[in-house]
Amino acid sequence: MSLGSLAVVEEWLDAVNRGDARRAEQLSADEVEIVGPRGSMRGRQVLAAWMDRAGFSAESLRWFCGGDGSVVVEQAARWIDPATGADRGQAQVASCFCVDGGDIIRYARYENLELALMAAGLDDGDEVMPEQRGP
């Protein structure tokens, strides 16, 4: 388990929740791949546009980590229309990250935890309990 990968992902998710595209970009590789239900994009320069358009924020519920930099986070997600502030929906989703050298090189959102764990090659035995993550 690479707890360093968890810290990078936690900071990236915090930046996304705060709408801090600059910080999310700093934590991402130059050619980071962003994958969602509408397809994929590459390059850290797309993060700000994605964050503005998606209106995505999430509360992290469960964390999973592999020794190869794979991190999966089950989340209670919410989407807000950036122009109007109207609620666009809520769902329980899972985000799958690949971290290499302290940079996020891939972020993919899945409709459920099982799909994300399968994509990352992780399982219930890779869950990181809150006390293992530190303060």
Side-chain angles (χ1 to χ4, degrees), residues 13-56:
L13 288 171
D14 180 61
V16 169
N17 282 340
R18 290 183 291 108
D20 186 349
R22 182 174 171 199
R23 185 63 185 139
E25 289 171 354
Q26 291 171 339
L27 294 163
S28 301
D30 288 341
E31 290 301 313
V32 63
E33 181 181 19
I34 308 293
V35 182
R38 296 182 183 163
S40 67
M41 305 177 286
R42 246 186 216 288
R44 69 166 62 145
Q45 72 280 357
V46 302
L47 281 170
W50 169 72
M51 288 170 61
D52 286 344
R53 184 179 59 256
F56 174 84

Side-chain angles (χ1 to χ4, degrees), residues 16-17 19 23 62 65 72 76 103 109 117 121 127 130:
V16 169
N17 282 340
R23 185 63 185 139
R62 294 172 69 192
C65 187
V72 170
D103 292 329
R109 195 184 88 226
L117 289 173
E127 186 167 6

Side-chain angles (χ1 to χ4, degrees), residues 35-131:
V35 182
R38 296 182 183 163
S40 67
M41 305 177 286
R42 246 186 216 288
R44 69 166 62 145
Q45 72 280 357
V46 302
L47 281 170
W50 169 72
M51 288 170 61
D52 286 344
R53 184 179 59 256
F56 174 84
S57 65
E59 175 190 353
S60 299
L61 304 172
R62 294 172 69 192
W63 292 76
F64 300 80
C65 187
D68 62 354
S70 296
V71 176
V72 170
V73 184
E74 185 178 35
Q75 301 164 295
R78 183 175 184 197
W79 293 266
I80 301 292
D81 185 312
T84 66
D87 191 351
R88 286 199 265 180
Q90 298 178 24
Q92 195 157 319
V93 300
S95 293
C96 180
F97 296 86
C98 186
V99 180
D100 185 30
D103 292 329
I104 292 176
I105 61 171
R106 186 171 194 272
Y107 160 73
R109 195 184 88 226
Y110 291 89
E111 298 305 313
N112 62 57
L113 179 61
E114 292 76 18
L115 289 173
L117 289 173
M118 188 181 323
L122 301 176
D123 60 33
D124 285 339
D126 296 303
E127 186 167 6
V128 178
M129 304 316 275
E131 60 273 9

